[in-house]
Amino acid sequence: MKLNILMDNHTEIDVYYLGEPAVSYWIETEGKAFLFDAGYSDAFLKNAADMGIDVTRAEAVLLSHSHNDHTGGLNPLQELDFQKKPQLIAHPDALLPHEWNGMEIGSPVSAEELSEKFELFLTKEPVWLTKKLVWLGEIPHTLDFEPAYAIGTVEKDGEKQADYITDDTALAYVGEKGLSIITGCSHAGICNIIAYAKKLTGVEKVQSVLGGFHLFHVDERTKATISYLKEENIQELYPCHCTSFAVRAALHGECPVQEVAVGTELEWK
């Protein structure tokens, strides 16, 4: 599997791509191509073009969750002429209205609008995209130190309710050396995600983890997360996006943290 980071908060010196506080990944595996998340604007499309990547080849657009730093680019994306009508795979809650402090923070494009360009596949269940790559679906909270938490509200069943971000999900790739896990923000908890990916695939060894961990302070939750990751003995950790420098520094003190930025290309067999 080959993965290109089309968008992240971080850029590299002398590598001239656009950056924004958002996420988008391009994935190619087993003869298929996928777009995972769509950034905050059209900047990820400009980066893809500069990298020589034709996103209109995508078999499917995969969403990690609803927030607009992952769905904001759906508007310019739907204006493209795809080679064939792609699926858009997401949790049923991912395209509902989401608010925080009076601001819309969900997808700027409705499910009805997106259905004109994409074949919508809204599900809580895992979806095997290829023999080796799976979109995990709704993540169960099985670890005490990673309980669910609410950010703003979601409009569901005709009323606004606390948004526990149940739509948050990730990908897992079954490689020769173990699992590679790719996440957007890990609102479900990066360790909950790892535990579920292992259970779902039946693979115990985790080779690599890439994505945002949504950790900003070195508090008790972060310390427990670091202990869990250290115990897993993961050789390739790529914390990015919503992972603060303080957390990455603390993590690097216990585990091998790798550099990651817009334009980073990773390959797993």
Side-chain angles (χ1 to χ4, degrees):
M1 184 184 84
K2 186 172 75 172
L3 180 148
N4 294 85
I5 297 180
L6 303 183
M7 185 52 64
D8 182 48
N9 301 42
H10 305 284
T11 58
E12 293 185 84
I13 296 172
D14 292 333
V15 179
Y16 295 99
Y17 297 123
L18 300 173
E20 63 184 12
V23 161
S24 181
Y25 307 121
W26 179 253
I27 295 169
E28 296 187 35
T29 182
E30 299 156 85
K32 295 185 176 183
F34 304 95
L35 180 69
F36 186 36
D37 283 349
Y40 183 75
S41 69
D42 65 349
F44 79 102
L45 294 175
K46 295 175 181 177
N47 287 340
D50 287 344
M51 294 176 199
I53 293 171
D54 180 5
V55 299
T56 68
R57 295 193 296 112
E59 298 268 343
V61 175
L62 318 168
L63 296 184
S64 67
H65 65 297
S66 61
H67 290 163
N68 55 13
D69 49 340
H70 302 257
T71 60
L74 288 175
N75 213 354
L77 183 67
Q78 70 172 346
E79 299 300 321
L80 301 181
D81 292 321
F82 285 86
Q83 295 182 15
K84 63 178 182 179
K85 191 173 185 177
Q87 283 188 313
L88 189 150
I89 302 174
H91 188 283
D93 293 355
L95 298 177
L96 298 177
H98 296 256
E99 289 187 6
W100 178 74
N101 281 355
M103 297 183 295
E104 287 283 346
I105 61 169
S107 168
V109 195
S110 69
E112 183 180 3
E113 292 170 310
L114 288 168
S115 66
E116 297 178 10
K117 196 72 177 194
F118 303 97
E119 292 183 7
L120 296 191
F121 185 16
L122 305 180
T123 179
K124 298 180 181 181
E125 301 302 318
V127 178
W128 283 92
L129 306 163
T130 69
K131 289 183 178 181
K132 297 182 178 181
L133 182 66
V134 60
W135 180 86
L136 296 175
E138 189 167 316
I139 308 293
H141 289 263
T142 56
L143 300 172
D144 292 341
F145 63 89
E146 286 188 332
Y149 56 86
I151 295 181
T153 61
V154 56
E155 190 173 324
K156 192 174 180 181
D157 300 326
E159 63 178 14
K160 290 184 179 181
Q161 51 189 265
D163 186 3
Y164 284 92
I165 327 171
T166 54
D167 55 309
D168 184 80
T169 190
L171 302 177
Y173 175 76
V174 181
E176 294 176 1
K177 296 181 180 180
L179 291 178
S180 292
I181 294 170
I182 305 122
T183 185
C185 270
S186 304
H187 290 292
I190 188 59
C191 304
N192 282 325
I193 290 169
I194 291 170
Y196 184 58
K198 290 168 63 174
K199 179 180 179 181
L200 179 66
T201 62
V203 177
E204 282 297 312
K205 175 61 180 175
V206 179
Q207 175 191 356
S208 54
V209 178
L210 164 69
F213 293 178
H214 210 262
L215 297 172
F216 304 103
H217 308 286
V218 185
D219 53 18
E220 292 307 310
R221 178 170 176 144
T222 295
K223 290 175 183 177
T225 298
I226 292 172
S227 294
Y228 182 96
L229 295 174
K230 183 179 180 180
E231 183 68 22
E232 287 291 315
N233 192 30
I234 302 167
Q235 294 304 301
E236 300 174 11
L237 282 173
Y238 301 92
C240 57
H241 183 45
C242 51
T243 316
S244 74
F245 174 78
V247 171
R248 284 183 285 123
L251 180 58
H252 188 57
E254 301 292 340
C255 307
V257 171
Q258 309 295 327
E259 289 281 356
V260 59
V262 180
T264 295
E265 182 177 305
L266 302 172
E267 192 163 354
W268 297 299
K269 294 183 179 180

